[in-house]
Amino acid sequence: MAKLIARNPNEPEFHQAVREVVESLASYIIADPALQKMKVLERMAEPERVIMFRVPWLNDRGDIEINRGYRVQMNSAIGPYKGGIRFHASVNLSIMKFLAFEQTLKNSLTTLPMGGAKGGSDFDPKGKSDNEVMRFCQSFVTELYRHIGQDTDVPAGDIGVGAREIGFMFGQYKRLRDEFTGTFTGKGLGWGGSSLRPEATGYGVCYFANEMLATRGESFKGKVVTISGSGNVAQFAAEKALQLGAKVVTLSDSSGYVYDPDGLDHDKLEYVKLLKNVFRGRIKEYAERYPNAKYFPGERPWGVKCDIAMPCATQNEINGDNARSLVENGCICVAEGANMPSTPEAISIFHSNKLLYSPGKASNAGGVATSGLEMSQNSMRIKWTREEVDEKLRSIMCNIHEVCVKYGTEEDGYINYVKGANIGGFMKVADAMMSQGCV
Ligand code: NDP
Ligand code: 2IT
């Protein structure tokens, strides 16, 4: 870790993500001289390639704006680079590297042949017109296109990148390459997209949480659920939790959270989808429309009493104090939809209180798994039904849960999902790297 920090200064999120894996794997690696000799973990923490580029574009006033674009191609040992693109003002190299590092292990856990990558830009889509977003996406891809391809690197969505942005990026990519391939996932259903890809991350989190709850004879039925975020992952985590009989009482965005004591229902959720995906509004408008709900500006939902918490917004959104309030309020399960939403202090509080706690790389893997299924369908030029994809998604999430149980069960029977996911994800990548020599 000391070497890694010295080589990658000022990258706290990257250090945090690697440290967690190092801590899980230390004894495992110490016991295996071959892993040490081949410097597998050291190589995994060094990106195979980092691309940083200028993204100039014209705003609606005709002025030039300049953003910075990134693609971190972390690891290609088990398949082409694969991972989302994030457009958010906070994007920097540290965040790209932490996400690409976690993606490598996550993609391995899915059992599908995908390496790890992440990309994005500090472009902030908030308040931009559709035309501005399109011009930005076109400029972004005009550089990125030479580094990606269906057998090289396959981007998808993440924060700030949904169906609209994938459409603009895919359109420009297709134009530059003059070929129609599955180089992006999350495409529209009529032009190469997979059924259930929009739902997959959120649904997958609930499938995974359901498996965790079942280890204690529990289920979603009748449980109170708090969710952060109100974007893609949050919306479909809420939808599946409702279908499984839970009561979802919060949603949030970067400005605050709403608490609805009556809980969400189908109509309210449809309103949220319209508000966020079409009108691109703020979650506080929910409380204006449903007067029983209350809006808490500038706050996160972790002080609300719940049985199950699903953080679905961003990294480090649950700190030690938030974790303590969740525990004090009787929360039994924290299933991460976002990537690295819990700080190390929060994770240690969950562990010492024996909560069911799953790290994002295990419980949010349903999104990229379904991206992998989209790649398979594109290669075969076929389309599976919603039911077929759902069945595969369920079985992938159950399998990841089994892997976590296998490698994460401690002497007292407590399942440490962090350890389980890190060891389970690492093994396949490590075996491939050992077989492929010093590359
Ligand atoms: P969206 O852009 O659709 O939604 C993001 C949500 O989180 C919005 O409500 C946003 O609020 C909120 N948010 C974003 N940044 C912050 C911040 N710094 N502080 C507080 N709230 C914030 O993104 P997704 O739903 O796709 O992604 C959510 C999380 O899930 C991310 O961590 C992502 O990496 C992860 N993830 C996504 C997958 C996918 O398939 N999309 C797959 C696996 C993981 P606001 O509108 O104010 O920005
Ligand atoms: O963090 C993630 O796993 C994603 N944003 C989805 C990546 C993908 O390639 O579908």
Side-chain angles (χ1 to χ4, degrees), residues 113-341:
M114 300 180 289
K118 202 81 186 191
S121 174
D122 57 1
F123 174 73
D124 179 4
K126 284 194 195 77
K128 305 289 191 300
S129 69
D130 285 348
N131 278 335
E132 287 178 321
V133 170
M134 182 178 73
R135 285 195 294 273
F136 174 80
C137 288
Q138 291 179 339
S139 181
F140 184 82
V141 166
T142 299
E143 173 58 34
L144 187 67
Y145 91 99
R146 64 187 93 246
H147 308 289
I148 60 177
Q150 61 176 349
D151 298 317
T152 310
D153 184 353
V154 182
D158 193 78
I159 292 177
V161 177
R164 174 181 63 169
E165 293 74 17
I166 294 292
F168 293 149
M169 287 194 278
F170 179 78
Q172 181 74 349
Y173 180 80
K174 179 166 64 63
R175 188 176 174 207
L176 289 166
R177 283 264 189 235
D178 193 21
E179 56 184 32
F180 195 115
T181 61
T183 298
F184 283 82
T185 60
K187 299 184 291 299
L189 290 186
W191 41 278
S194 174
S195 301
L196 220 76
R197 176 62 189 88
E199 295 88 340
T201 311
Y203 280 19
V205 178
C206 291
Y207 295 155
F208 193 92
N210 219 13
E211 293 299 303
M212 290 204 287
L213 291 163
T215 64
R216 297 199 183 162
E218 296 277 5
S219 75
F220 270 94
K221 197 146 196 62
K223 297 288 189 302
V224 173
V225 176
T226 50
I227 294 179
S228 65
S230 49
N232 172 267
V233 181
Q235 290 168 17
F236 290 104
E239 183 165 291
K240 185 53 73 179
L242 289 185
Q243 286 171 14
L244 294 172
K247 180 173 175 182
V248 177
V249 294
T250 68
L251 287 173
S252 74
D253 60 23
S254 50
S255 314
Y257 80 91
V258 284
Y259 169 61
D260 184 345
D262 304 331
L264 288 170
D265 58 23
H266 175 266
D267 290 349
K268 291 176 181 175
L269 193 54
E270 287 307 306
Y271 165 72
V272 171
K273 288 182 191 172
L274 209 60
L275 173 70
K276 299 302 288 186
N277 311 346
V278 179
F279 300 117
R280 302 192 182 272
R282 309 301 299 159
I283 202 64
K284 74 164 190 240
E285 294 167 55
Y286 181 99
E288 290 157 15
R289 187 178 172 102
Y290 301 107
N292 271 359
K294 194 165 170 356
Y295 177 62
F296 296 85
E299 287 186 47
R300 298 170 184 159
W302 313 126
V304 173
K305 191 171 165 51
C306 70
D307 303 302
I308 300 167
M310 297 199 279
C312 297
T314 193
Q315 64 275 357
N316 292 328
E317 55 167 318
I318 300 185
N319 61 24
D321 289 340
N322 301 143
R324 270 183 286 274
S325 0
L326 284 166
V327 171
E328 279 159 21
N329 282 329
C331 175
I332 58 166
C333 174
V334 178
E336 294 185 346
N339 286 308
M340 207 169 77

Side-chain angles (χ1 to χ4, degrees), residues 356-372:
L356 295 167
Y357 163 70
S358 65
K361 66 170 79 75
S363 45
N364 73 30
V368 73
T370 307
S371 280

